[in-house]
Amino acid sequence: MRKHDKCNTLTRLLNFNTAGLPAKPARSEKTAVDFSEEDCWCLLWNNVSCHFAMSPWIKSYLLLFLSPLYTVLTSLEYEPKFDRPMVNVTVKEKNTAILPCSVNFLGSHEVVWTDQFSTLLTYQDRRIIDDERLSVERPYTRDWNLHIRDVRYSDQGIYNCQINTTPVKIKTINLVVLVPAKILEHLSSTDTTVREGDTVTLICNVTGTPHPEVTWYRKHGRGEEKQKVGVNGEVLIIHNVTRYCGGDYECVAFNGVPPAVSKIVEVFVEFAPEIYLPNKKMRQEKGKDTILECTVTAFPHAVTLWQKDGVQITTSTLKYRVEVYDEDANQLTLSLRVFNIEESDFGAYTCVSSNTLGEDQETMYLSEHVRATVTTKKPSTSTQNLYIPATSHQKLIVSRRPPVARPSATLASGQSLEGLPMENTHDRQPTRRPVYEPSYRGRDDTNKRILATKKKENASTRPGSVSFTSQTLASILLAVLLSVML
C-alpha cells in the first residue's frame, strides 16, 4: 500500500468525535494524497487535539497508545481479489459469449486475459491479438469482462483472467459452445435403387455439441403422415426388401439446440410387373364408344400396351385412343378408348406390361349388348250388355268387359324379363264376377250355353217334374187366349 493510501485510511479511522459533535477539519491546505508520513502524524495529532482538550500528560498517553496502532495499519496492505474463483459459461454457436471478471481492491495492479494456450489476448482494456471479435467491456469500475462475438466451436475451452500480483492471481472461465445438429452430406446416403429381396443400408452421419440423436421416419404414400421406423441411430438397415418398402425415408437429428435438421433418402425397389383388370367382361352396343382399363404396378415401367386378338393396337387411326394416368409412384392406369364399335371390334383385348425383371398380361372380352324389345296390346274400353233369360219372369242383365290384354314380350336368347313393364294390380278395383262365365264366341253361343246349363240344373234339382220355360208359357197363354176369343 502506498503512503498516501495508508494516511487516508488512518485519518478516516481516527477522525472521531467523543462529544457527538462533527469533526473539525484539519488546519492544513494539503490533501491526504500529498501528505508525507510526518504530515500524517501531524494531522492525526491535530485532530486529536481538536477533539480532546486535555492536559499534556493525557496527550502523551494517547500518543503512546496510538503508535502501535499506526505501526499495524502501516504494515497492512489490501490485496486484490476476485468475486468468484471459477465460472462456467455456456453459449450457442454464432452468439456473443461474455466471460465475467470482477476484481476488488485492484489498486495499481493490472489485468490481462489469456486463453488455454497461454496466449495473451488483452492487456487492461486493450486487445492484443488481431481477432476483432474480442474486446474488454467495463460496465462497472471493477469489471473486466471479455466479450467474444460470433462465437465458434473452436473458441470453446479455458480462459484466464489474471492480476499481476506476487504470485499471480488467476480466475478461470470454462467456455462451452453448443453447436446445433448438422448432417454431413458427403458421409450420408443418397437416393438408392435395389432389387426386390436385397438388403439396403441407409446412413445419416451427423455432428453437433452435444452429439445429436437420429430418428428415422418413412412416408408410405402421397398425403400420408410419416411414421417412425427402426431404432434411433445413424444407420438404418432393411433386410429382404419388398416392393412395399420403397418410398421416402427421413432422418431427423436433434441435440436439444434448435433447430433440428433432417435429410430425405428415397429408396427405389425394382420388381416385375403385375396387372389388375377392374372388369374382365364388358358389353356395348354397336355404334357407341367404350373404354377399357387396366392397372399396372411395376418398377421400372418399360413397355405397356394393348393387343386385339394378339395384334398390338396402334393409335395411328381414329379408331383407338390410348391414355396413361399415374396413380402412385409405381402404379399407372392404361386406358383404351374404342370409337364407333362395329362387329369386328368385339373380341379379346389383352393388356401387356414388361420390364427387365419380367412380364405380365391379362385379357378381357368385349361383346355385343342387345336391348330387349317389348310389344304391348292396347286394352279395349267398350262394354257389352249380356241378356240372360231367367226364371221367375225376370231378365238377368250381365255386364261384361273384355279382359285386359297382358303384354307379351319377345326376348332375345340369354336375356331375362328384368326391366319389362308389368301390369299394376294394386290400382285395380275388385269387380263382381257374373254368375255364368260367358265365352267370347258371340252372343248366340253364350245364350245357348247358359240355357243348356240351366236345364241341367233344373233337371238335377227336380227329378220327374216338367220344367217350364218362357217359350212354353207363352205358347200356353196364346192357346188360352185364342180359345176365349172363339
Side-chain angles (χ1 to χ4, degrees), residues 24-37:
K24 295 181 179 180
R27 297 178 181 178
S28 176
E29 296 180 358
K30 293 184 178 181
T31 61
V33 177
D34 300 328
F35 289 159
S36 62
E37 232 179 285

Side-chain angles (χ1 to χ4, degrees), residues 350-375:
T350 304
C351 180
V352 181
S353 179
S354 63
N355 60 12
T356 56
L357 301 178
E359 179 181 336
D360 190 21
Q361 61 182 11
E362 291 289 339
T363 302
M364 66 183 307
Y365 297 90
L366 177 64
S367 58
E368 182 180 2
H369 173 69
V370 180
R371 290 189 177 184
T373 57
V374 179
T375 58

Side-chain angles (χ1 to χ4, degrees), residues 49 186 190 234 252 260 278 302 337 350 460 477:
S49 299
H186 63 286
T190 57
E234 299 181 30
V252 179
R337 181 183 291 269
T350 304
S460 60
L477 292 176

Side-chain angles (χ1 to χ4, degrees), residues 45-118:
W45 179 251
N46 289 336
N47 286 332
V48 173
S49 299
C50 292
H51 289 290
F52 299 96
M54 298 178 183
S55 59
W57 68 270
I58 295 177
K59 295 180 181 180
S60 301
Y61 177 77
L62 289 176
L63 185 59
L64 293 175
F65 173 74
L66 293 175
S67 296
L69 179 61
Y70 175 76
T71 304
V72 173
L73 290 176
T74 54
S75 63
L76 179 64
E77 293 187 359
Y78 291 93
E79 293 289 335
K81 64 177 181 179
F82 297 105
D83 54 348
R84 286 178 291 177
M86 185 172 182
V87 177
N88 291 324
V89 176
T90 302
V91 65
K92 184 181 175 182
E93 190 181 30
K94 295 184 179 181
N95 290 347
T96 300
I98 302 177
L99 310 185
C101 181
S102 297
V103 183
N104 296 324
F105 309 111
L106 179 60
S108 60
H109 296 87
E110 298 170 338
V111 178
V112 297
W113 278 96
T114 61
D115 61 9
Q116 56 188 339
F117 306 108
S118 299

Side-chain angles (χ1 to χ4, degrees), residues 7 18 30 46 50 54 57 73 76 84 128 130 153 202 204-205 229 234 256-257 261 270 284 352 374-375 403 434 458:
C7 191
T18 57
K30 293 184 178 181
N46 289 336
C50 292
M54 298 178 183
W57 68 270
L73 290 176
L76 179 64
R84 286 178 291 177
I128 301 301
D130 58 354
Y153 178 71
L202 305 180
C204 189
N205 204 328
V229 294
E234 299 181 30
V257 183
V261 293
E270 295 181 338
Q284 185 58 281
V352 181
V374 179
T375 58
N458 294 335

Side-chain angles (χ1 to χ4, degrees), residues 357-417:
L357 301 178
E359 179 181 336
D360 190 21
Q361 61 182 11
E362 291 289 339
T363 302
M364 66 183 307
Y365 297 90
L366 177 64
S367 58
E368 182 180 2
H369 173 69
V370 180
R371 290 189 177 184
T373 57
V374 179
T375 58
T376 305
K377 294 182 179 179
K378 185 176 182 180
S380 175
T381 58
S382 62
T383 59
Q384 297 179 2
N385 293 330
L386 178 64
Y387 296 90
I388 302 176
T391 58
S392 69
H393 309 282
Q394 293 182 359
K395 291 184 179 180
L396 178 64
I397 301 176
V398 180
S399 178
R400 66 181 180 87
R401 293 184 181 183
V404 178
R406 297 180 178 271
S408 60
T410 304
L411 304 179
S413 60
Q415 296 188 357
S416 62
L417 291 174

Side-chain angles (χ1 to χ4, degrees), residues 386-389 438 442-453:
L386 178 64
Y387 296 90
I388 302 176
R443 182 178 298 178
D444 296 336
D445 296 340
T446 301
N447 292 335
K448 290 180 180 179
R449 181 174 294 184
I450 293 175
L451 293 175
T453 304

